[in-house]
Amino acid sequence: MKTVRTIAEVRDAVAAARATGRTVGFVPTMGAFHDGHLSLMRRARERCGFVVVSLFVNPTQFNDAADLAAYPRDEAHDATMARADGVDLLFTPDVHTLYPGAEATTVAVSGLSEVLEGESRGAGHFRGVTTVVAKLFNIVAPDVAFFGQKDAQQALIVRRMTADLDFPVEIDVCPTVRESDGLAMSSRNGRLAADERVRALALRHGLSVAEAAIAAGDRDAARIAASASAAMRERGVEPEYFALVSAATLQPVVPLAGRILVAVAAPVGPVRLIDNVLVDVPAT
Ligand code: AMP
Protein backbone atom coordinates (compact mmCIF):
# COMPACT_ATOMS: atom_id res chain seq x y z
CA MET A 1 0.00 0.00 0.00
CA LYS A 2 1.16 3.47 -0.93
CA THR A 3 0.24 6.55 1.11
CA VAL A 4 0.05 9.83 -0.83
CA ARG A 5 -0.89 13.39 0.08
CA THR A 6 -1.26 15.20 -3.23
CA ILE A 7 -3.92 15.14 -5.94
CA ALA A 8 -1.30 14.59 -8.64
CA GLU A 9 0.01 11.46 -6.89
CA VAL A 10 -3.52 10.03 -6.68
CA ARG A 11 -4.15 10.67 -10.37
CA ASP A 12 -0.83 9.10 -11.35
CA ALA A 13 -1.42 5.98 -9.24
CA VAL A 14 -4.98 5.55 -10.52
CA ALA A 15 -3.87 6.05 -14.13
CA ALA A 16 -1.16 3.41 -13.69
CA ALA A 17 -3.70 0.94 -12.26
CA ARG A 18 -6.13 1.62 -15.08
CA ALA A 19 -3.34 1.11 -17.63
CA THR A 20 -3.08 -2.49 -16.35
CA GLY A 21 -6.83 -2.97 -16.85
CA ARG A 22 -7.84 -2.75 -13.23
CA THR A 23 -11.16 -1.27 -12.06
CA VAL A 24 -10.98 1.33 -9.31
CA GLY A 25 -12.92 1.09 -6.04
CA PHE A 26 -13.03 4.04 -3.67
CA VAL A 27 -13.88 4.32 0.04
CA PRO A 28 -14.06 7.91 1.39
CA THR A 29 -13.54 8.10 5.16
CA MET A 30 -12.66 10.41 8.01
CA GLY A 31 -10.37 7.81 9.59
CA ALA A 32 -10.27 6.26 13.08
CA PHE A 33 -11.03 2.97 11.37
CA HIS A 34 -13.27 0.31 12.86
CA ASP A 35 -14.88 -2.79 11.38
CA GLY A 36 -17.52 -0.64 9.63
CA HIS A 37 -14.82 1.07 7.57
CA LEU A 38 -12.99 -2.21 7.04
CA SER A 39 -16.16 -3.87 5.72
CA LEU A 40 -16.31 -1.21 2.98
CA MET A 41 -12.64 -1.77 2.12
CA ARG A 42 -13.15 -5.55 1.94
CA ARG A 43 -16.17 -5.11 -0.29
CA ALA A 44 -14.10 -2.81 -2.52
CA ARG A 45 -11.32 -5.43 -2.55
CA GLU A 46 -13.81 -8.11 -3.63
CA ARG A 47 -15.28 -6.02 -6.41
CA CYS A 48 -12.36 -3.96 -7.77
CA GLY A 49 -8.79 -4.50 -8.89
CA PHE A 50 -7.44 -1.31 -7.30
CA VAL A 51 -8.71 0.03 -3.97
CA VAL A 52 -8.32 3.68 -2.98
CA VAL A 53 -9.20 4.92 0.52
CA SER A 54 -9.25 8.60 1.42
CA LEU A 55 -8.70 9.72 5.00
CA PHE A 56 -9.74 13.32 5.47
CA VAL A 57 -11.51 14.89 8.44
CA ASN A 58 -13.53 17.32 6.35
CA PRO A 59 -13.92 20.58 8.28
CA THR A 60 -16.73 21.92 6.08
CA GLN A 61 -19.20 19.24 7.22
CA PHE A 62 -18.77 19.91 10.95
CA ASN A 63 -21.33 22.27 12.41
CA ASP A 64 -19.70 22.08 15.83
CA ALA A 65 -16.08 23.24 16.25
CA ALA A 66 -15.71 21.20 19.47
CA ASP A 67 -16.80 18.03 17.63
CA LEU A 68 -14.21 18.72 14.89
CA ALA A 69 -11.47 19.37 17.46
CA ALA A 70 -12.32 16.19 19.39
CA TYR A 71 -12.71 13.98 16.31
CA PRO A 72 -10.40 10.96 16.81
CA ARG A 73 -7.30 10.92 14.60
CA ASP A 74 -4.72 8.12 14.36
CA GLU A 75 -3.30 8.02 10.87
CA ALA A 76 -0.50 5.56 11.62
CA HIS A 77 -2.88 2.99 13.08
CA ASP A 78 -5.36 3.55 10.23
CA ALA A 79 -2.62 2.98 7.66
CA THR A 80 -1.70 -0.34 9.31
CA MET A 81 -5.32 -1.50 9.24
CA ALA A 82 -5.87 -0.40 5.64
CA ARG A 83 -2.71 -2.19 4.51
CA ALA A 84 -3.79 -5.38 6.29
CA ASP A 85 -7.11 -5.25 4.43
CA GLY A 86 -5.53 -5.01 1.01
CA VAL A 87 -5.96 -1.31 0.26
CA ASP A 88 -3.69 -0.21 -2.59
CA LEU A 89 -3.65 3.56 -2.14
CA LEU A 90 -4.31 5.66 0.95
CA PHE A 91 -4.95 9.34 0.20
CA THR A 92 -4.40 11.58 3.24
CA PRO A 93 -4.58 15.18 1.99
CA ASP A 94 -4.14 18.08 4.34
CA VAL A 95 -6.83 20.75 4.48
CA HIS A 96 -4.97 23.12 2.12
CA THR A 97 -4.73 20.46 -0.56
CA LEU A 98 -8.51 20.17 -0.83
CA TYR A 99 -9.31 23.77 0.16
CA PRO A 100 -6.50 26.06 -1.03
CA GLY A 101 -8.63 28.98 0.10
CA ALA A 102 -10.40 30.58 -2.84
CA GLU A 103 -13.26 28.15 -3.43
CA ALA A 104 -16.49 29.71 -4.71
CA THR A 105 -18.29 26.49 -5.64
CA THR A 106 -20.33 24.10 -3.54
CA VAL A 107 -22.58 21.17 -4.37
CA ALA A 108 -25.97 20.95 -2.66
CA VAL A 109 -28.70 18.33 -3.05
CA SER A 110 -31.98 20.01 -2.27
CA GLY A 111 -34.97 18.18 -0.85
CA LEU A 112 -33.02 15.36 0.81
CA SER A 113 -30.54 17.52 2.74
CA GLU A 114 -32.81 19.70 4.86
CA VAL A 115 -34.50 17.00 6.97
CA LEU A 116 -33.25 14.69 9.77
CA GLU A 117 -29.47 15.24 10.03
CA GLY A 118 -29.76 18.39 7.90
CA GLU A 119 -32.36 19.85 10.24
CA SER A 120 -30.32 18.97 13.32
CA ARG A 121 -26.86 19.89 12.05
CA GLY A 122 -27.80 22.74 9.71
CA ALA A 123 -27.89 23.05 5.91
CA GLY A 124 -24.11 23.37 5.75
CA HIS A 125 -23.53 19.79 6.92
CA PHE A 126 -24.60 17.94 3.79
CA ARG A 127 -23.31 20.73 1.55
CA GLY A 128 -19.92 20.03 3.12
CA VAL A 129 -20.33 16.30 2.52
CA THR A 130 -21.51 16.53 -1.09
CA THR A 131 -18.91 19.13 -2.02
CA VAL A 132 -16.01 17.08 -0.67
CA VAL A 133 -17.36 13.83 -2.15
CA ALA A 134 -17.74 15.54 -5.56
CA LYS A 135 -14.14 16.76 -5.31
CA LEU A 136 -12.90 13.32 -4.28
CA PHE A 137 -14.82 11.67 -7.14
CA ASN A 138 -13.10 14.06 -9.56
CA ILE A 139 -9.69 13.37 -8.02
CA VAL A 140 -9.95 9.57 -7.78
CA ALA A 141 -12.33 8.95 -10.71
CA PRO A 142 -13.46 5.57 -9.33
CA ASP A 143 -15.69 3.02 -11.03
CA VAL A 144 -17.42 2.15 -7.76
CA ALA A 145 -17.60 4.11 -4.48
CA PHE A 146 -18.57 2.43 -1.22
CA PHE A 147 -20.67 4.01 1.53
CA GLY A 148 -22.21 2.68 4.75
CA GLN A 149 -25.91 2.31 5.46
CA LYS A 150 -25.01 3.56 8.95
CA ASP A 151 -25.18 7.05 7.40
CA ALA A 152 -28.34 6.31 5.45
CA GLN A 153 -29.21 9.91 4.58
CA GLN A 154 -25.65 10.61 3.43
CA ALA A 155 -25.69 7.54 1.17
CA LEU A 156 -29.03 8.58 -0.32
CA ILE A 157 -27.82 12.14 -0.94
CA VAL A 158 -24.55 10.97 -2.52
CA ARG A 159 -26.49 8.58 -4.76
CA ARG A 160 -28.74 11.44 -5.85
CA MET A 161 -25.83 13.81 -6.48
CA THR A 162 -24.08 11.12 -8.54
CA ALA A 163 -27.17 10.61 -10.69
CA ASP A 164 -28.03 14.30 -11.07
CA LEU A 165 -24.48 15.36 -12.00
CA ASP A 166 -23.79 12.29 -14.19
CA PHE A 167 -20.72 11.12 -12.28
CA PRO A 168 -19.72 7.84 -13.99
CA VAL A 169 -19.55 6.14 -10.58
CA GLU A 170 -21.61 3.28 -9.17
CA ILE A 171 -22.62 3.84 -5.53
CA ASP A 172 -22.51 0.64 -3.46
CA VAL A 173 -24.17 1.01 -0.05
CA CYS A 174 -23.00 -1.62 2.47
CA PRO A 175 -24.78 -2.88 5.62
CA THR A 176 -24.24 -1.30 9.05
CA VAL A 177 -21.63 -3.18 11.09
CA ARG A 178 -22.51 -3.48 14.79
CA GLU A 179 -20.79 -4.46 18.01
CA SER A 180 -21.94 -7.85 19.35
CA ASP A 181 -24.47 -6.09 21.63
CA GLY A 182 -26.02 -4.18 18.72
CA LEU A 183 -24.36 -0.77 19.01
CA ALA A 184 -23.59 0.57 15.53
CA MET A 185 -19.84 0.99 15.16
CA SER A 186 -18.74 4.61 15.03
CA SER A 187 -15.45 6.45 15.36
CA ARG A 188 -17.15 8.47 18.10
CA ASN A 189 -17.93 5.39 20.29
CA GLY A 190 -14.40 5.46 21.69
CA ARG A 191 -15.22 8.70 23.49
CA LEU A 192 -18.01 7.06 25.54
CA ALA A 193 -17.34 6.38 29.23
CA ALA A 194 -18.36 2.93 30.49
CA ASP A 195 -21.80 4.03 31.72
CA GLU A 196 -22.42 6.02 28.52
CA ARG A 197 -21.45 2.97 26.45
CA VAL A 198 -24.30 1.08 28.18
CA ARG A 199 -26.78 3.95 27.67
CA ALA A 200 -25.77 4.15 23.98
CA LEU A 201 -27.63 0.87 23.46
CA ALA A 202 -30.84 2.88 23.84
CA LEU A 203 -30.63 3.87 20.16
CA ARG A 204 -30.70 0.28 18.92
CA HIS A 205 -33.39 -0.48 21.51
CA GLY A 206 -35.57 2.37 20.22
CA LEU A 207 -35.24 1.05 16.68
CA SER A 208 -36.22 -2.43 17.89
CA VAL A 209 -39.31 -1.03 19.61
CA ALA A 210 -40.32 0.60 16.32
CA GLU A 211 -39.67 -2.60 14.35
CA ALA A 212 -41.79 -4.57 16.82
CA ALA A 213 -44.64 -2.06 16.57
CA ILE A 214 -44.62 -2.27 12.77
CA ALA A 215 -44.51 -6.07 12.96
CA ALA A 216 -47.52 -5.94 15.31
CA GLY A 217 -49.46 -3.99 12.68
CA ASP A 218 -49.08 -0.37 13.77
CA ARG A 219 -48.89 1.98 10.74
CA ASP A 220 -48.96 5.31 12.65
CA ALA A 221 -45.47 6.85 12.41
CA ALA A 222 -46.10 9.49 15.09
CA ARG A 223 -47.37 6.92 17.61
CA ILE A 224 -44.51 4.52 16.90
CA ALA A 225 -41.93 7.33 17.21
CA ALA A 226 -43.47 8.41 20.52
CA SER A 227 -43.32 4.93 22.03
CA ALA A 228 -39.77 4.32 20.76
CA SER A 229 -38.66 7.69 22.17
CA ALA A 230 -40.27 6.85 25.51
CA ALA A 231 -38.40 3.53 25.57
CA MET A 232 -35.14 5.40 24.96
CA ARG A 233 -35.90 7.90 27.71
CA GLU A 234 -36.44 5.00 30.14
CA ARG A 235 -32.83 4.05 29.34
CA GLY A 236 -31.60 7.56 30.05
CA VAL A 237 -31.28 8.84 26.48
CA GLU A 238 -33.31 11.72 25.01
CA PRO A 239 -33.61 11.40 21.22
CA GLU A 240 -32.88 14.49 19.15
CA TYR A 241 -35.19 13.01 16.55
CA PHE A 242 -36.84 9.66 15.99
CA ALA A 243 -38.33 9.46 12.50
CA LEU A 244 -40.09 6.96 10.27
CA VAL A 245 -39.97 8.23 6.69
CA SER A 246 -39.88 7.04 3.09
CA ALA A 247 -36.45 5.48 2.46
CA ALA A 248 -36.48 7.04 -1.03
CA THR A 249 -37.62 10.61 -0.30
CA LEU A 250 -37.17 10.97 3.50
CA GLN A 251 -40.72 12.39 3.57
CA PRO A 252 -43.55 11.18 5.85
CA VAL A 253 -45.67 8.25 4.64
CA VAL A 254 -49.24 8.17 6.00
CA PRO A 255 -50.10 5.43 6.82
CA LEU A 256 -46.72 3.69 6.81
CA ALA A 257 -46.19 1.50 3.72
CA GLY A 258 -43.35 0.47 1.45
CA ARG A 259 -39.66 0.82 2.29
CA ILE A 260 -39.38 2.88 5.47
CA LEU A 261 -36.23 4.34 7.02
CA VAL A 262 -36.42 4.36 10.79
CA ALA A 263 -33.75 6.84 11.88
CA VAL A 264 -32.64 8.12 15.26
CA ALA A 265 -30.11 10.63 16.58
CA ALA A 266 -29.32 11.24 20.23
CA PRO A 267 -26.63 12.76 22.39
CA VAL A 268 -24.98 10.32 24.79
CA GLY A 269 -22.43 11.91 27.09
CA PRO A 270 -20.01 13.95 24.97
CA VAL A 271 -21.03 12.52 21.61
CA ARG A 272 -23.95 12.59 19.25
CA LEU A 273 -24.84 9.15 17.90
CA ILE A 274 -27.02 8.13 14.95
CA ASP A 275 -28.47 4.80 13.89
CA ASN A 276 -31.16 3.49 11.56
CA VAL A 277 -32.88 0.43 10.16
CA LEU A 278 -34.75 -0.15 6.91
CA VAL A 279 -38.14 -1.85 7.21
CA ASP A 280 -40.31 -3.10 4.35
CA VAL A 281 -43.81 -2.32 5.55
CA PRO A 282 -46.58 -4.30 3.90
CA ALA A 283 -49.76 -2.33 3.26
CA THR A 284 -52.49 -3.50 5.64
P1 AMP B 1 -16.74 8.16 8.40
O1 AMP B 1 -15.28 7.90 8.52
O2 AMP B 1 -17.48 8.10 9.70
O3 AMP B 1 -17.07 9.37 7.56
O4 AMP B 1 -17.31 6.93 7.59
C1 AMP B 1 -16.78 6.54 6.34
C2 AMP B 1 -17.71 5.54 5.71
O5 AMP B 1 -17.86 4.43 6.57
C3 AMP B 1 -19.12 6.13 5.48
O6 AMP B 1 -19.61 5.68 4.23
C4 AMP B 1 -19.89 5.54 6.62
O7 AMP B 1 -21.28 5.39 6.35
C5 AMP B 1 -19.23 4.18 6.77
N1 AMP B 1 -19.47 3.64 8.11
C6 AMP B 1 -19.27 4.27 9.30
N2 AMP B 1 -19.67 3.46 10.31
C7 AMP B 1 -20.14 2.32 9.74
C8 AMP B 1 -20.69 1.11 10.27
N3 AMP B 1 -20.85 0.91 11.57
N4 AMP B 1 -21.07 0.16 9.37
C9 AMP B 1 -20.91 0.35 8.03
N5 AMP B 1 -20.39 1.46 7.49
C10 AMP B 1 -20.01 2.43 8.33
Side-chain angles (χ1 to χ4, degrees):
M1 186 185 80
K2 201 171 162 187
T3 299
V4 297
R5 295 198 184 275
T6 68
I7 293 170
E9 287 170 300
V10 176
R11 290 198 166 128
D12 285 351
V14 170
R18 282 205 184 285
T20 63
R22 290 193 272 176
T23 55
V24 177
F26 176 44
V27 183
T29 81
M30 299 203 300
F33 294 158
H34 50 66
D35 274 346
H37 295 112
L38 300 183
S39 74
L40 303 184
M41 296 176 205
R42 287 178 201 138
R43 178 91 180 123
R45 180 76 285 159
E46 281 165 22
R47 291 200 54 196
C48 301
F50 190 71
V51 177
V52 183
V53 171
S54 63
L55 194 175
F56 179 63
V57 182
N58 177 35
T60 66
Q61 72 190 67
F62 281 81
N63 53 309
D64 176 355
D67 187 29
L68 174 61
Y71 202 83
R73 291 170 171 85
D74 191 348
E75 191 187 311
H77 186 240
D78 285 347
T80 305
M81 290 172 91
R83 179 176 288 111
D85 265 314
V87 170
D88 297 295
L89 188 71
L90 184 64
F91 178 39
T92 59
D94 67 23
V95 172
H96 298 290
T97 299
L98 289 191
Y99 303 112
E103 300 74 35
T105 307
T106 56
V107 179
V109 176
S110 57
L112 297 174
S113 300
E114 297 83 357
V115 296
L116 305 178
E117 287 298 283
E119 193 173 344
S120 286
R121 301 186 65 175
H125 169 61
F126 282 118
R127 197 166 55 234
V129 170
T130 40
T131 301
V132 82
V133 170
K135 284 167 71 74
L136 290 167
F137 280 3
N138 282 328
I139 293 165
V140 177
D143 297 289
V144 191
F146 299 84
F147 291 84
Q149 177 63 26
K150 159 81 174 14
D151 297 279
Q153 187 176 9
Q154 170 176 283
L156 190 65
I157 288 170
V158 167
R159 200 188 273 293
R160 184 61 184 268
M161 174 192 79
T162 305
D164 286 357
L165 296 184
D166 304 301
F167 281 101
V169 182
E170 177 193 334
I171 305 300
D172 188 340
V173 180
C174 304
T176 300
V177 177
R178 298 177 180 282
E179 303 285 358
S180 55
D181 61 6
L183 180 66
M185 290 193 181
S186 163
S187 302
R188 293 182 171 91
N189 291 350
R191 295 182 56 213
L192 296 168
D195 61 316
E196 294 159 354
R197 173 67 182 72
V198 173
R199 280 199 294 126
L201 290 171
L203 279 83
R204 184 67 189 87
H205 179 63
L207 296 172
S208 299
V209 168
E211 287 177 302
I214 293 169
D218 199 341
R219 297 291 179 265
D220 182 331
R223 186 168 54 210
I224 295 170
S227 63
S229 298
M232 290 177 63
R233 259 175 234 122
E234 274 171 30
R235 296 186 170 212
V237 172
E238 180 65 39
E240 201 172 286
Y241 63 75
F242 194 104
L244 297 92
V245 293
S246 158
T249 65
L250 306 181
Q251 294 303 307
V253 182
V254 183
L256 288 176
R259 179 153 277 211
I260 296 296
L261 177 71
V262 189
V264 61
V268 180
V271 296
R272 181 178 179 280
L273 299 176
I274 60 172
D275 200 352
N276 70 84
V277 290
L278 285 172
V279 184
D280 285 312
V281 182
T284 45

